[in-house]
């Protein structure tokens, strides 16, 4: 099988993740099927078990049982059209190593993870939470924290999405502004660093979408063209579907684009109307500094309120 993605197996002697079946003697299972696995590492180290590596294994290959009420993990597999599991076995040998590209990505990810957690003494330190949230590595969280975030509905913050990409780009923009780097050099630095972050964290569909939108809007402003979020959103959807057509049927893709579409078409225009109405009747005799503070408070409050109100109606047509 060819490894695609690794999960936290919670045991040093095992490893888990997603893979694609390269060859099997079972005729009932088509070649190229995707599966979830949980196997013993055997004699191979973590440096061999990276995405892109092809390994020969033995174990029990079976279809996932039908469950009318799947848990979060089963729902995650079903959303990616994965119906096979490979367990109760071990890795026998490495058929072909991962590519140099994948090895470099893993080394860069491991280096940044070490930097973020270098002062952490145990898994209860805040650095573990920050590293897990920025890099999308939930293996840095212990079981207690995982249960807490799952019950509170905030576990999605530990999967790299457009929120993470936008936050990274905003921090880079603030840093470049502080260092007085402007024009094309600033844009080049921000886009290069942002796309490196997207690639390092696994190039998720939501991350690629945010990167494309950021590139389109930034390039339009650099070329002195009027930038609009709606064409950038459509462009990102077209590129993502050309890259992975099956994303169209994934709930995560549908929910992500529905929410962003609601923000672009409902929240932003409504926020502008409210800001014009509130700023038109601003209190008289304000000092310039107080006037700017009042305007900032109005813009921030209306933007946050409209975004919150538009997200729910935009996602209502989708299944829960």
């Amino acid at each position: 099988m060819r490894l695609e993605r690794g999960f936290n197996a919670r045991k040093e002697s095992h490893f888990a993740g997603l893979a694609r079946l390269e060859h099997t003697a079972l005729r009932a299972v088509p070649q190229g099927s995707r599966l979830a696995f949980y196997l013993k590492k055997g004699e191979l180290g973590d440096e061999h078990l990276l995405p892109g590596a092809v390994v020969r294994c033995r174990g029990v290959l079976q279809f996932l049982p039908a469950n009318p009420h799947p848990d979060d993990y089963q729902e995650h597999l079903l959303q990616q059209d994965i119906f096979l599991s490979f367990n109760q076995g071990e890795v026998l040998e490495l058929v072909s190593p991962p590519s140099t590209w994948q090895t470099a990505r893993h080394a860069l990810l491991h280096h940044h993870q070490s930097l973020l957690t270098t002062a952490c003494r145990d898994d209860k330190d805040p650095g573990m939470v920050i590293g897990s949230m920025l890099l999308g590595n939930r293996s840095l969280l212990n079981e207690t924290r995982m249960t807490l975030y799952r019950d509170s509905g905030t576990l999605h913050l530990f999967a790299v999405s457009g929120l993470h990409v936008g936050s990274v780009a905003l921090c880079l923009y603030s840093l470049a502004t502080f260092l007085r780097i402007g024009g094309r050099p600033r844009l080049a630095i921000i886009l290069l660093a942002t796309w490196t972050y997207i690639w390092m964290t696994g190039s998720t569909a939501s991350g690629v979408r945010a990167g494309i939108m950021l590139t389109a809007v930034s390039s339009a402003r650099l070329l002195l063209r009027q930038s609009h979020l709606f064409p950038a959103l459509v462009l990102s959807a077209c590129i993502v579907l050309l890259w992975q057509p099956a994303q169209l049927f994934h709930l995560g893709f549908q929910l992500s684009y529905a929410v962003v579409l609601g923000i672009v078409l409902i929240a932003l225009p409504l926020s502008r109307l409210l800001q014009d109405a509130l700023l038109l009747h601003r209190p008289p005799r304000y000092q310039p500094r107080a006037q700017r503070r009042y305007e900032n408070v109005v813009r921030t409050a209306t933007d946050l309120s409209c975004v919150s109100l538009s997200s729910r109606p935009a996602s209502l047509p989708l299944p829960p």
Side-chain angles (χ1 to χ4, degrees):
M1 64 181 184
R2 183 180 298 275
L3 306 182
E4 291 186 350
R5 183 181 176 187
F7 294 151
N8 182 22
R10 301 295 179 185
K11 290 184 180 180
E12 292 294 335
S13 59
H14 289 67
F15 81 113
L18 305 179
R20 190 173 296 275
L21 194 62
E22 292 287 315
H23 176 73
T24 179
L26 300 177
R27 296 183 177 180
V29 181
Q31 309 295 332
S33 301
R34 301 185 67 201
L35 52 87
F37 64 87
Y38 183 81
L39 304 168
K40 292 183 179 180
K41 296 180 181 178
E43 299 181 355
L44 297 180
D46 293 336
E47 66 277 5
H48 300 111
L49 303 176
L50 300 178
V54 179
V55 295
R56 188 167 67 90
C57 314
R58 64 181 178 186
V60 178
L61 182 65
Q62 58 185 358
F63 288 94
L64 295 176
N67 188 355
H69 303 288
D71 55 23
D72 294 340
Y73 179 67
Q74 293 173 336
E75 185 68 27
H76 175 70
L77 297 180
L78 294 177
Q79 289 179 5
Q80 301 188 61
D81 298 328
I82 297 177
F83 308 100
L84 293 171
S85 64
F86 192 38
N87 305 306
Q88 304 179 26
E90 63 177 347
V91 179
L92 299 178
E93 63 175 346
L94 179 68
V95 178
S96 63
S99 63
T100 305
W101 187 257
Q102 291 289 352
T103 304
R105 186 187 71 84
H106 181 267
L108 184 63
L109 180 64
H110 181 73
H111 173 70
H112 284 82
Q113 179 176 306
S114 300
L115 289 177
L116 292 172
T117 60
T118 183
C120 299
R121 298 181 178 179
D122 53 38
D123 55 5
K124 298 180 180 180
D125 289 339
M128 291 293 186
V129 178
I130 296 176
S132 177
M133 185 177 297
L134 287 177
L135 303 178
N137 185 6
R138 298 181 183 179
S139 63
L140 298 177
L141 302 175
N142 54 30
E143 292 293 341
T144 303
R145 289 183 182 270
M146 287 282 290
T147 304
L148 178 63
Y149 294 131
R150 185 181 296 108
D151 295 340
S152 62
T154 56
L155 192 60
H156 65 278
L157 296 176
F158 297 89
V160 176
S161 62
L163 174 65
H164 299 72
V165 175
S167 300
V168 170
L170 181 60
C171 292
L172 292 171
Y173 177 83
S174 302
L175 180 60
T177 303
F178 176 77
L179 297 176
R180 297 185 178 180
I181 302 175
R184 295 183 179 179
R186 179 174 62 183
L187 176 61
I189 293 173
I190 293 175
L191 293 182
L192 179 60
T194 302
W195 278 107
T196 301
Y197 171 76
I198 296 172
W199 167 70
M200 180 183 66
T201 52
S203 300
T204 61
S206 56
V208 172
R209 180 209 71 215
I212 296 172
M213 292 184 62
L214 175 66
T215 304
V217 173
S218 302
S219 302
R221 292 181 177 179
L222 183 63
L223 297 174
L224 302 179
R225 301 291 183 180
Q226 188 175 7
S227 60
H228 295 282
L229 292 179
F230 182 73
L233 181 66
V234 174
L235 176 63
S236 67
C238 295
I239 295 178
V240 170
L241 292 177
L242 288 175
W243 171 46
Q244 292 182 350
Q247 287 286 334
L248 180 63
F249 304 100
H250 292 171
L251 181 59
F253 176 88
Q254 300 169 5
L255 183 63
S256 176
Y257 275 90
V259 170
V260 176
L261 188 63
I263 293 174
V264 173
L265 298 182
I266 300 176
L268 297 183
L270 180 61
S271 178
R272 294 191 187 98
L273 292 176
L274 293 176
Q275 290 174 14
D276 293 340
L278 293 174
L279 294 178
L280 181 63
H281 303 285
R282 61 172 61 91
R285 298 179 183 178
Y286 259 32
Q287 298 295 329
R289 182 176 298 179
Q291 184 74 28
R292 288 194 299 269
R293 290 179 180 177
Y294 173 76
E295 293 176 357
N296 292 333
V297 170
V298 169
R299 290 191 176 94
T300 303
T302 53
D303 286 342
L304 294 178
S305 301
C306 292
V307 168
S308 300
L309 292 175
S310 66
S311 300
R312 182 60 180 170
S315 60
L316 281 178
L318 299 177

